[in-house]
Coordinates of all heavy atoms in Angstrom, one line a residue:
M369 N 182.1 -149.2 -158.0 CA 182.1 -150.1 -159.1 C 183.0 -149.6 -160.3 O 183.7 -150.3 -161.0 CB 180.7 -150.3 -159.6 CG 180.5 -151.3 -160.7 SD 180.9 -152.9 -160.1 CE 180.3 -153.9 -161.3
W370 N 183.1 -148.3 -160.4 CA 183.9 -147.7 -161.5 C 185.3 -148.0 -161.3 O 186.1 -148.0 -162.3 CB 183.6 -146.1 -161.5 CG 184.1 -145.4 -160.3 CD1 183.4 -145.1 -159.2 CD2 185.4 -144.9 -160.1 NE1 184.2 -144.4 -158.3 CE2 185.4 -144.2 -158.9 CE3 186.6 -144.8 -160.9 CZ2 186.6 -143.6 -158.4 CZ3 187.7 -144.2 -160.4 CH2 187.7 -143.6 -159.1
K371 N 185.8 -148.2 -160.0 CA 187.2 -148.5 -159.8 C 187.6 -149.9 -160.5 O 188.7 -150.0 -161.0 CB 187.5 -148.6 -158.3 CG 187.4 -147.2 -157.6 CD 187.7 -147.3 -156.2 CE 187.5 -146.0 -155.5 NZ 187.7 -146.1 -154.1
Y372 N 186.7 -150.8 -160.4 CA 186.9 -152.1 -161.1 C 187.0 -151.9 -162.6 O 187.9 -152.5 -163.2 CB 185.8 -153.1 -160.7 CG 185.8 -153.4 -159.3 CD1 184.7 -153.1 -158.5 CD2 186.8 -154.1 -158.6 CE1 184.6 -153.4 -157.2 CE2 186.8 -154.3 -157.3 CZ 185.7 -154.0 -156.5 OH 185.6 -154.3 -155.2
Y373 N 186.2 -151.1 -163.1 CA 186.2 -150.8 -164.6 C 187.5 -150.1 -165.0 O 188.1 -150.4 -166.0 CB 185.0 -150.0 -165.0 CG 183.7 -150.8 -165.0 CD1 182.6 -150.3 -164.4 CD2 183.6 -152.0 -165.6 CE1 181.4 -151.0 -164.3 CE2 182.4 -152.8 -165.5 CZ 181.3 -152.2 -164.9 OH 180.2 -152.9 -164.8
A374 N 188.0 -149.2 -164.1 CA 189.2 -148.5 -164.4 C 190.4 -149.4 -164.3 O 191.3 -149.4 -165.2 CB 189.4 -147.4 -163.4
L375 N 190.4 -150.4 -163.4 CA 191.5 -151.3 -163.3 C 191.4 -152.3 -164.5 O 192.5 -152.6 -165.1 CB 191.4 -152.1 -162.0 CG 191.8 -151.4 -160.7 CD1 191.4 -152.2 -159.5 CD2 193.2 -151.0 -160.8
L376 N 190.3 -152.7 -164.9 CA 190.1 -153.6 -166.1 C 190.6 -152.8 -167.3 O 191.3 -153.4 -168.2 CB 188.7 -154.1 -166.2 CG 188.3 -155.2 -165.3 CD1 186.8 -155.5 -165.5 CD2 189.1 -156.5 -165.6
S377 N 190.2 -151.6 -167.4 CA 190.7 -150.8 -168.6 C 192.2 -150.7 -168.6 O 192.8 -150.8 -169.7 CB 190.0 -149.4 -168.5 OG 190.5 -148.6 -169.5
A378 N 192.8 -150.4 -167.5 CA 194.3 -150.3 -167.5 C 194.9 -151.7 -167.8 O 195.9 -151.7 -168.6 CB 194.7 -149.9 -166.1
L379 N 194.3 -152.8 -167.3 CA 194.8 -154.1 -167.6 C 194.8 -154.4 -169.1 O 195.7 -154.8 -169.7 CB 194.1 -155.2 -166.8 CG 194.4 -156.6 -167.2 CD1 195.8 -157.0 -166.8 CD2 193.3 -157.5 -166.6
F380 N 193.6 -154.1 -169.7 CA 193.5 -154.4 -171.1 C 194.3 -153.4 -172.0 O 194.8 -153.8 -173.1 CB 192.0 -154.3 -171.6 CG 191.2 -155.5 -171.1 CD1 190.2 -155.4 -170.2 CD2 191.5 -156.8 -171.5 CE1 189.5 -156.5 -169.7 CE2 190.8 -157.9 -171.1 CZ 189.8 -157.7 -170.2
A381 N 194.5 -152.2 -171.6 CA 195.4 -151.3 -172.3 C 196.8 -151.9 -172.3 O 197.6 -151.8 -173.3 CB 195.4 -149.9 -171.7
A382 N 197.3 -152.4 -171.1 CA 198.6 -153.0 -171.0 C 198.7 -154.2 -171.9 O 199.7 -154.4 -172.6 CB 198.9 -153.3 -169.5
L383 N 197.7 -155.1 -171.9 CA 197.7 -156.2 -172.7 C 197.8 -155.9 -174.2 O 198.5 -156.5 -175.0 CB 196.5 -157.1 -172.4 CG 196.5 -157.9 -171.1 CD1 195.2 -158.6 -170.9 CD2 197.7 -158.9 -171.1
T384 N 197.0 -154.8 -174.6 CA 197.0 -154.4 -175.9 C 198.4 -154.0 -176.4 O 198.9 -154.3 -177.4 CB 196.0 -153.2 -176.1 OG1 194.7 -153.7 -175.8 CG2 196.0 -152.7 -177.6
A385 N 199.1 -153.2 -175.5 CA 200.4 -152.8 -175.9 C 201.4 -153.9 -176.0 O 202.2 -154.0 -176.9 CB 200.9 -151.8 -174.8
I386 N 201.3 -154.9 -175.0 CA 202.2 -156.0 -175.0 C 201.9 -156.9 -176.3 O 202.9 -157.3 -177.0 CB 202.0 -156.9 -173.8 CG1 202.5 -156.1 -172.6 CG2 202.7 -158.2 -173.9 CD1 202.1 -156.7 -171.2
F387 N 200.7 -157.2 -176.6 CA 200.4 -158.0 -177.7 C 200.8 -157.3 -179.0 O 201.3 -157.9 -180.0 CB 198.9 -158.3 -177.8 CG 198.4 -159.2 -176.7 CD1 197.1 -159.2 -176.3 CD2 199.2 -160.1 -176.1 CE1 196.6 -160.0 -175.3 CE2 198.8 -161.0 -175.1 CZ 197.5 -160.9 -174.7
A388 N 200.6 -156.0 -179.1 CA 201.0 -155.3 -180.3 C 202.5 -155.3 -180.5 O 203.0 -155.5 -181.6 CB 200.6 -153.8 -180.2
K389 N 203.3 -155.2 -179.5 CA 204.8 -155.2 -179.6 C 205.3 -156.6 -179.9 O 206.2 -156.8 -180.8 CB 205.4 -154.7 -178.3 CG 205.2 -153.3 -178.0 CD 205.8 -152.4 -179.0 CE 205.6 -150.9 -178.6 NZ 206.0 -150.0 -179.6
V390 N 204.7 -157.6 -179.3 CA 205.2 -159.0 -179.5 C 204.7 -159.6 -180.8 O 205.5 -160.2 -181.6 CB 204.7 -159.9 -178.3 CG1 205.0 -161.4 -178.6 CG2 205.4 -159.5 -177.0
G391 N 203.5 -159.3 -181.2 CA 202.9 -160.0 -182.3 C 203.1 -159.3 -183.7 O 202.9 -160.0 -184.7
V392 N 203.6 -158.1 -183.8 CA 203.8 -157.5 -185.1 C 205.2 -157.1 -185.4 O 205.4 -156.1 -186.1 CB 202.8 -156.3 -185.2 CG1 201.4 -156.7 -185.1 CG2 203.1 -155.2 -184.1
K393 N 206.1 -157.9 -185.0 CA 207.5 -157.5 -185.3 C 207.8 -157.4 -186.8 O 208.5 -156.5 -187.2 CB 208.5 -158.6 -184.7 CG 208.5 -158.6 -183.2 CD 209.5 -159.7 -182.7 CE 209.5 -159.7 -181.2 NZ 210.3 -160.8 -180.7
D394 N 207.3 -158.3 -187.6 CA 207.7 -158.3 -189.0 C 206.5 -157.8 -189.9 O 206.5 -158.1 -191.1 CB 208.1 -159.7 -189.5 CG 209.3 -160.2 -188.7 OD1 210.2 -159.3 -188.4 OD2 209.4 -161.4 -188.4
I395 N 205.6 -157.1 -189.3 CA 204.4 -156.6 -190.1 C 204.5 -155.1 -190.1 O 204.8 -154.4 -189.1 CB 203.1 -157.1 -189.4 CG1 203.1 -158.6 -189.4 CG2 201.9 -156.5 -190.2 CD1 201.9 -159.2 -188.6
N396 N 204.1 -154.5 -191.2 CA 204.0 -153.0 -191.4 C 203.0 -152.5 -190.3 O 202.0 -153.0 -190.1 CB 203.5 -152.7 -192.8 CG 203.3 -151.2 -193.0 OD1 202.3 -150.6 -192.4 ND2 204.2 -150.6 -193.7
S397 N 203.5 -151.4 -189.6 CA 202.7 -150.9 -188.5 C 201.3 -150.4 -188.9 O 200.3 -150.5 -188.2 CB 203.4 -149.8 -187.8 OG 203.7 -148.7 -188.6
D398 N 201.2 -149.8 -190.1 CA 199.9 -149.4 -190.6 C 199.0 -150.5 -190.9 O 197.8 -150.5 -190.6 CB 200.1 -148.6 -191.9 CG 200.8 -147.2 -191.7 OD1 200.7 -146.7 -190.5 OD2 201.4 -146.7 -192.6
L399 N 199.5 -151.6 -191.4 CA 198.7 -152.8 -191.7 C 198.2 -153.4 -190.3 O 197.0 -153.8 -190.2 CB 199.5 -153.8 -192.5 CG 198.8 -155.2 -192.7 CD1 197.5 -155.0 -193.5 CD2 199.7 -156.1 -193.5
A400 N 199.1 -153.5 -189.4 CA 198.7 -154.0 -188.1 C 197.7 -153.2 -187.4 O 196.7 -153.7 -186.8 CB 200.0 -154.1 -187.2
T401 N 197.8 -151.8 -187.5 CA 196.8 -150.9 -186.9 C 195.4 -151.1 -187.6 O 194.4 -151.1 -187.0 CB 197.3 -149.5 -187.1 OG1 198.5 -149.3 -186.3 CG2 196.2 -148.5 -186.5
A402 N 195.5 -151.3 -189.0 CA 194.2 -151.5 -189.7 C 193.5 -152.8 -189.3 O 192.3 -152.8 -189.1 CB 194.5 -151.5 -191.2
I403 N 194.3 -153.8 -189.1 CA 193.7 -155.1 -188.6 C 193.1 -155.0 -187.2 O 192.0 -155.4 -187.0 CB 194.8 -156.2 -188.7 CG1 195.1 -156.5 -190.2 CG2 194.3 -157.5 -188.0 CD1 196.3 -157.4 -190.3
R404 N 193.9 -154.4 -186.3 CA 193.3 -154.2 -184.9 C 192.1 -153.3 -185.0 O 191.1 -153.6 -184.3 CB 194.4 -153.5 -184.0 CG 195.5 -154.5 -183.6 CD 196.3 -153.9 -182.5 NE 196.9 -152.6 -182.8 CZ 198.1 -152.4 -183.3 NH1 198.8 -153.4 -183.5 NH2 198.5 -151.2 -183.5
T405 N 192.1 -152.3 -185.8 CA 191.0 -151.4 -185.8 C 189.7 -152.1 -186.4 O 188.6 -151.9 -185.9 CB 191.3 -150.1 -186.7 OG1 192.5 -149.5 -186.1 CG2 190.2 -149.1 -186.7
T406 N 189.9 -152.9 -187.4 CA 188.8 -153.7 -188.0 C 188.2 -154.6 -186.9 O 187.0 -154.7 -186.8 CB 189.3 -154.5 -189.2 OG1 189.9 -153.6 -190.1 CG2 188.2 -155.3 -189.8
V407 N 189.0 -155.3 -186.1 CA 188.5 -156.1 -185.1 C 187.7 -155.3 -184.1 O 186.6 -155.7 -183.7 CB 189.7 -156.9 -184.4 CG1 189.2 -157.6 -183.1 CG2 190.3 -157.9 -185.3
I408 N 188.2 -154.2 -183.7 CA 187.5 -153.3 -182.7 C 186.2 -152.8 -183.3 O 185.2 -152.8 -182.6 CB 188.4 -152.1 -182.3 CG1 189.6 -152.6 -181.5 CG2 187.6 -151.1 -181.5 CD1 190.6 -151.6 -181.2
L409 N 186.2 -152.5 -184.6 CA 185.0 -152.0 -185.3 C 183.9 -153.1 -185.3 O 182.8 -152.9 -185.0 CB 185.3 -151.6 -186.7 CG 185.7 -150.2 -187.0 CD1 186.2 -150.0 -188.4 CD2 184.5 -149.3 -186.7
L410 N 184.3 -154.3 -185.6 CA 183.4 -155.4 -185.6 C 182.8 -155.7 -184.3 O 181.6 -155.9 -184.1 CB 184.0 -156.7 -186.2 CG 184.4 -156.6 -187.7 CD1 185.2 -157.9 -188.0 CD2 183.2 -156.5 -188.5
L411 N 183.6 -155.7 -183.2 CA 183.1 -155.9 -181.9 C 182.2 -154.8 -181.4 O 181.2 -155.1 -180.8 CB 184.3 -156.1 -180.9 CG 185.1 -157.3 -181.0 CD1 186.4 -157.3 -180.2 CD2 184.3 -158.5 -180.6
T412 N 182.6 -153.6 -181.7 CA 181.8 -152.5 -181.3 C 180.4 -152.4 -181.9 O 179.4 -152.2 -181.3 CB 182.5 -151.1 -181.5 OG1 183.8 -151.2 -180.9 CG2 181.8 -150.0 -180.9
W413 N 180.4 -152.6 -183.3 CA 179.1 -152.7 -184.0 C 178.3 -153.9 -183.5 O 177.1 -153.8 -183.5 CB 179.3 -152.6 -185.5 CG 179.5 -151.2 -186.0 CD1 180.6 -150.7 -186.4 CD2 178.5 -150.2 -186.0 NE1 180.4 -149.4 -186.8 CE2 179.1 -149.1 -186.5 CE3 177.1 -150.2 -185.7 CZ2 178.4 -147.9 -186.7 CZ3 176.5 -149.0 -185.9 CH2 177.1 -147.8 -186.4
G414 N 178.9 -155.0 -183.2 CA 178.2 -156.1 -182.6 C 177.5 -155.7 -181.3 O 176.3 -156.1 -181.1
I415 N 178.2 -155.0 -180.5 CA 177.6 -154.5 -179.2 C 176.4 -153.6 -179.5 O 175.3 -153.7 -178.9 CB 178.6 -153.8 -178.3 CG1 179.7 -154.9 -177.8 CG2 178.0 -153.1 -177.2 CD1 180.9 -154.2 -177.2
V416 N 176.6 -152.7 -180.5 CA 175.5 -151.8 -180.8 C 174.3 -152.5 -181.4 O 173.1 -152.3 -181.0 CB 176.0 -150.7 -181.8 CG1 174.8 -149.9 -182.4 CG2 177.0 -149.8 -181.1
L417 N 174.5 -153.5 -182.3 CA 173.4 -154.2 -182.9 C 172.8 -155.1 -181.8 O 171.5 -155.2 -181.8 CB 174.0 -155.1 -184.0 CG 174.4 -154.3 -185.2 CD1 175.1 -155.2 -186.2 CD2 173.3 -153.6 -185.9
F418 N 173.6 -155.8 -181.0 CA 173.0 -156.7 -180.0 C 172.2 -155.9 -179.0 O 171.2 -156.4 -178.5 CB 174.1 -157.5 -179.3 CG 173.6 -158.5 -178.3 CD1 173.0 -159.7 -178.7 CD2 173.7 -158.3 -177.0 CE1 172.6 -160.6 -177.8 CE2 173.3 -159.2 -176.0 CZ 172.7 -160.4 -176.5
G419 N 172.6 -154.7 -178.6 CA 171.9 -153.9 -177.7 C 170.8 -153.1 -178.3 O 170.1 -152.3 -177.6
Q420 N 170.6 -153.3 -179.6 CA 169.5 -152.6 -180.3 C 169.5 -151.1 -180.2 O 168.5 -150.5 -179.9 CB 168.1 -153.2 -179.9 CG 168.0 -154.7 -180.1 CD 166.7 -155.3 -179.6 OE1 166.1 -154.7 -178.7 NE2 166.4 -156.5 -180.0
H421 N 170.7 -150.5 -180.4 CA 170.9 -149.1 -180.3 C 171.1 -148.4 -181.7 O 171.4 -147.2 -181.8 CB 172.1 -148.8 -179.5 CG 172.0 -149.3 -178.1 ND1 171.1 -148.7 -177.2 CD2 172.6 -150.3 -177.4 CE1 171.2 -149.4 -176.0 NE2 172.1 -150.3 -176.2
V422 N 170.9 -149.2 -182.8 CA 171.2 -148.6 -184.1 C 170.2 -147.5 -184.4 O 170.6 -146.5 -185.0 CB 171.0 -149.7 -185.2 CG1 171.2 -149.1 -186.6 CG2 172.0 -150.8 -185.0
G423 N 169.0 -147.6 -184.0 CA 168.0 -146.5 -184.2 C 168.3 -145.2 -183.6 O 167.8 -144.1 -184.0
E424 N 169.2 -145.2 -182.6 CA 169.6 -144.0 -181.9 C 170.5 -143.1 -182.7 O 170.7 -142.0 -182.3 CB 170.2 -144.3 -180.5 CG 169.3 -145.0 -179.6 CD 170.0 -145.5 -178.3 OE1 171.1 -145.0 -178.0 OE2 169.5 -146.5 -177.7
I425 N 171.0 -143.6 -183.8 CA 171.9 -142.9 -184.7 C 171.2 -141.6 -185.2 O 171.8 -140.5 -185.2 CB 172.4 -143.7 -185.8 CG1 173.4 -144.8 -185.3 CG2 173.1 -142.9 -186.9 CD1 173.8 -145.8 -186.4
R426 N 169.9 -141.7 -185.5 CA 169.2 -140.6 -186.0 C 169.0 -139.5 -185.0 O 168.7 -138.3 -185.3 CB 167.8 -141.1 -186.5 CG 167.8 -142.0 -187.6 CD 166.4 -142.3 -188.1 NE 166.5 -143.4 -189.1 CZ 165.8 -144.5 -189.0 NH1 164.9 -144.7 -188.1 NH2 165.9 -145.4 -190.0
E427 N 169.1 -139.8 -183.7 CA 168.9 -138.9 -182.6 C 170.2 -138.1 -182.3 O 170.1 -137.1 -181.5 CB 168.4 -139.6 -181.4 CG 167.1 -140.3 -181.6 CD 166.7 -141.2 -180.4 OE1 167.4 -141.1 -179.3 OE2 165.8 -142.0 -180.6
I428 N 171.3 -138.4 -182.9 CA 172.6 -137.7 -182.6 C 172.6 -136.3 -183.2 O 172.4 -136.2 -184.4 CB 173.8 -138.5 -183.0 CG1 173.8 -139.9 -182.3 CG2 175.1 -137.8 -182.8 CD1 174.9 -140.8 -182.9
P429 N 172.7 -135.2 -182.5 CA 172.7 -133.9 -183.0 C 173.9 -133.6 -183.9 O 175.0 -134.3 -183.8 CB 172.8 -133.0 -181.8 CG 172.7 -133.8 -180.6 CD 172.8 -135.2 -181.0
R430 N 173.8 -132.7 -184.8 CA 174.9 -132.4 -185.8 C 176.2 -132.0 -185.1 O 177.3 -132.4 -185.5 CB 174.5 -131.2 -186.7 CG 173.6 -131.7 -187.8 CD 173.4 -130.5 -188.8 NE 172.5 -131.0 -189.8 CZ 172.3 -130.3 -190.9 NH1 172.9 -129.2 -191.1 NH2 171.5 -130.8 -191.8
H431 N 176.1 -131.2 -184.0 CA 177.4 -130.8 -183.3 C 178.0 -132.0 -182.7 O 179.3 -132.0 -182.6 CB 177.1 -129.6 -182.3 CG 176.4 -130.1 -181.1 ND1 175.0 -130.2 -181.0 CD2 176.9 -130.4 -179.9 CE1 174.7 -130.6 -179.8 NE2 175.8 -130.8 -179.1
A432 N 177.3 -132.9 -182.2 CA 177.8 -134.1 -181.7 C 178.6 -135.0 -182.7 O 179.6 -135.5 -182.5 CB 176.8 -135.0 -181.0
W433 N 178.0 -135.0 -183.9 CA 178.6 -135.7 -185.1 C 180.0 -135.1 -185.4 O 181.0 -135.7 -185.6 CB 177.7 -135.7 -186.3 CG 176.7 -136.8 -186.4 CD1 175.4 -136.6 -186.2 CD2 177.0 -138.2 -186.6 NE1 174.8 -137.9 -186.3 CE2 175.7 -138.8 -186.6 CE3 178.1 -138.9 -186.9 CZ2 175.6 -140.2 -186.8 CZ3 178.0 -140.3 -187.1 CH2 176.8 -140.9 -187.0
L434 N 180.0 -133.7 -185.4 CA 181.2 -133.0 -185.7 C 182.3 -133.4 -184.7 O 183.4 -133.7 -185.1 CB 181.0 -131.5 -185.6 CG 182.2 -130.6 -185.7 CD1 182.8 -130.8 -187.1 CD2 181.9 -129.2 -185.5
F435 N 182.0 -133.4 -183.4 CA 183.0 -133.7 -182.4 C 183.3 -135.2 -182.4 O 184.5 -135.5 -182.1 CB 182.5 -133.2 -181.0 CG 182.6 -131.7 -180.8 CD1 181.5 -131.0 -180.9 CD2 183.8 -131.1 -180.7 CE1 181.5 -129.6 -180.7 CE2 183.9 -129.8 -180.5 CZ 182.8 -129.0 -180.6
L436 N 182.4 -136.0 -182.7 CA 182.7 -137.5 -182.8 C 183.7 -137.7 -184.0 O 184.7 -138.4 -183.8 CB 181.5 -138.3 -183.0 CG 180.6 -138.5 -181.8 CD1 179.2 -139.0 -182.2 CD2 181.2 -139.3 -180.8
V437 N 183.5 -137.1 -185.1 CA 184.4 -137.2 -186.2 C 185.8 -136.6 -185.9 O 186.8 -137.2 -186.2 CB 183.8 -136.5 -187.5 CG1 184.8 -136.5 -188.6 CG2 182.5 -137.3 -187.9
L438 N 185.8 -135.4 -185.3 CA 187.0 -134.8 -185.0 C 187.8 -135.6 -183.9 O 189.0 -135.8 -184.1 CB 186.8 -133.4 -184.4 CG 186.4 -132.3 -185.4 CD1 186.0 -131.0 -184.7 CD2 187.4 -132.1 -186.5
S439 N 187.1 -136.2 -183.0 CA 187.8 -137.1 -182.0 C 188.3 -138.3 -182.7 O 189.4 -138.8 -182.3 CB 186.9 -137.4 -180.8 OG 185.9 -138.2 -181.2
G440 N 187.6 -138.8 -183.6 CA 188.1 -140.0 -184.4 C 189.3 -139.7 -185.2 O 190.3 -140.5 -185.2
V441 N 189.3 -138.6 -185.8 CA 190.5 -138.2 -186.6 C 191.7 -138.0 -185.7 O 192.8 -138.4 -186.0 CB 190.2 -136.9 -187.5 CG1 191.5 -136.4 -188.1 CG2 189.2 -137.2 -188.5
A442 N 191.5 -137.3 -184.6 CA 192.6 -137.0 -183.6 C 193.1 -138.4 -183.0 O 194.3 -138.6 -182.9 CB 192.1 -136.1 -182.5
G443 N 192.2 -139.3 -182.7 CA 192.6 -140.6 -182.2 C 193.4 -141.4 -183.3 O 194.3 -142.0 -182.9
A444 N 192.9 -141.3 -184.5 CA 193.7 -142.0 -185.6 C 195.1 -141.4 -185.7 O 196.0 -142.1 -186.0 CB 192.9 -141.9 -186.9
Q445 N 195.2 -140.1 -185.6 CA 196.5 -139.5 -185.7 C 197.4 -140.0 -184.5 O 198.6 -140.2 -184.7 CB 196.4 -138.0 -185.6 CG 195.9 -137.3 -186.9 CD 196.8 -137.6 -188.0 OE1 197.9 -137.4 -188.0 NE2 196.2 -138.2 -189.1
L446 N 196.8 -140.1 -183.4 CA 197.6 -140.6 -182.2 C 198.0 -142.0 -182.4 O 199.2 -142.4 -182.2 CB 196.7 -140.5 -180.9 CG 197.3 -141.0 -179.6 CD1 198.5 -140.1 -179.3 CD2 196.3 -141.0 -178.5
I447 N 197.1 -142.9 -182.9 CA 197.4 -144.3 -183.0 C 198.4 -144.5 -184.2 O 199.3 -145.3 -184.0 CB 196.1 -145.1 -183.3 CG1 195.2 -145.1 -182.1 CG2 196.4 -146.5 -183.8 CD1 193.8 -145.6 -182.3
T448 N 198.2 -143.8 -185.3 CA 199.1 -144.1 -186.4 C 200.3 -143.2 -186.5 O 201.1 -143.4 -187.4 CB 198.3 -143.9 -187.7 OG1 197.9 -142.5 -187.8 CG2 197.1 -144.8 -187.8
G449 N 200.5 -142.4 -185.5 CA 201.7 -141.6 -185.4 C 201.7 -140.5 -186.6 O 202.8 -140.2 -187.0
G450 N 200.6 -140.1 -187.0 CA 200.5 -139.0 -188.0 C 200.5 -139.5 -189.4 O 200.8 -138.8 -190.4
S451 N 200.3 -140.8 -189.6 CA 200.4 -141.4 -191.0 C 199.4 -140.8 -191.9 O 199.6 -140.7 -193.1 CB 200.2 -142.9 -190.9 OG 201.2 -143.5 -190.2
I452 N 198.2 -140.4 -191.4 CA 197.1 -139.8 -192.2 C 197.6 -138.5 -192.8 O 197.5 -138.2 -194.0 CB 195.8 -139.6 -191.4 CG1 195.3 -141.0 -191.0 CG2 194.8 -138.8 -192.2 CD1 194.1 -140.9 -190.1
I453 N 198.3 -137.7 -192.0 CA 198.8 -136.4 -192.5 C 199.9 -136.6 -193.6 O 199.9 -135.9 -194.6 CB 199.3 -135.5 -191.4 CG1 198.1 -135.0 -190.5 CG2 200.1 -134.3 -191.9 CD1 198.4 -134.2 -189.3
M454 N 200.7 -137.6 -193.3 CA 201.8 -137.9 -194.3 C 201.2 -138.4 -195.6 O 201.7 -138.1 -196.7 CB 202.7 -139.0 -193.8 CG 203.6 -138.5 -192.7 SD 204.8 -139.8 -192.2 CE 204.0 -140.5 -190.8
L455 N 200.0 -139.1 -195.6 CA 199.4 -139.5 -196.9 C 198.8 -138.3 -197.6 O 198.8 -138.3 -198.8 CB 198.3 -140.5 -196.6 CG 198.7 -141.9 -196.2 CD1 197.5 -142.7 -195.7 CD2 199.5 -142.6 -197.3
I456 N 198.3 -137.3 -196.9 CA 197.7 -136.2 -197.5 C 198.7 -135.3 -198.2 O 198.5 -134.7 -199.3 CB 196.9 -135.3 -196.5 CG1 195.7 -136.1 -196.0 CG2 196.4 -134.0 -197.1 CD1 195.0 -135.5 -194.8
K457 N 199.9 -135.2 -197.7 CA 201.0 -134.4 -198.2 C 201.5 -134.9 -199.6 O 201.6 -135.8 -200.0 CB 202.2 -134.3 -197.3 CG 201.8 -133.4 -196.1 CD 203.1 -133.3 -195.2 CE 202.7 -132.5 -194.0 NZ 203.9 -132.3 -193.1

């Protein structure tokens, strides 16, 4: 079953790249990334709320929070091409 999920993941990753290139020709890349990220955030929190997993937030250990935050920052750096570090400078 995981093979189907891997194929779907690859398909959606390809579609994301295609849509991003075609749809944002005349839009600032940071603004486009912010809009896409907002959509992803809304969908993801909808899944969490619909699945009634909000209460599990309290059960996440501190070290897991640290690594989740660090992975989010690293992912943001990858997506934005280092724009966050440029803003800090």
Side-chain angles (χ1 to χ4, degrees):
M369 186 69 166
W370 65 268
K371 292 179 184 179
Y372 297 115
Y373 290 130
L375 288 172
L376 284 174
S377 178
L379 172 69
F380 286 117
L383 287 174
T384 300
I386 292 168
F387 291 154
K389 295 292 182 188
V390 172
V392 296
K393 288 181 182 175
D394 300 324
I395 300 174
N396 177 286
S397 62
D398 291 333
L399 177 60
T401 300
I403 293 169
R404 284 194 305 266
T405 303
T406 302
V407 171
I408 292 168
L409 272 170
L410 292 173
L411 289 171
T412 307
W413 277 108
I415 292 168
V416 170
L417 292 170
F418 184 74
Q420 300 174 344
H421 299 289
V422 177
E424 297 174 23
I425 291 174
R426 295 184 189 129
E427 299 170 13
I428 300 173
R430 282 189 180 190
H431 73 278
W433 275 108
L434 173 67
F435 286 104
L436 287 169
V437 170
L438 289 174
S439 69
V441 170
Q445 287 299 306
L446 178 66
I447 290 169
T448 62
S451 296
I452 294 174
I453 290 177
M454 286 187 264
L455 287 174
I456 295 172
K457 289 183 179 180

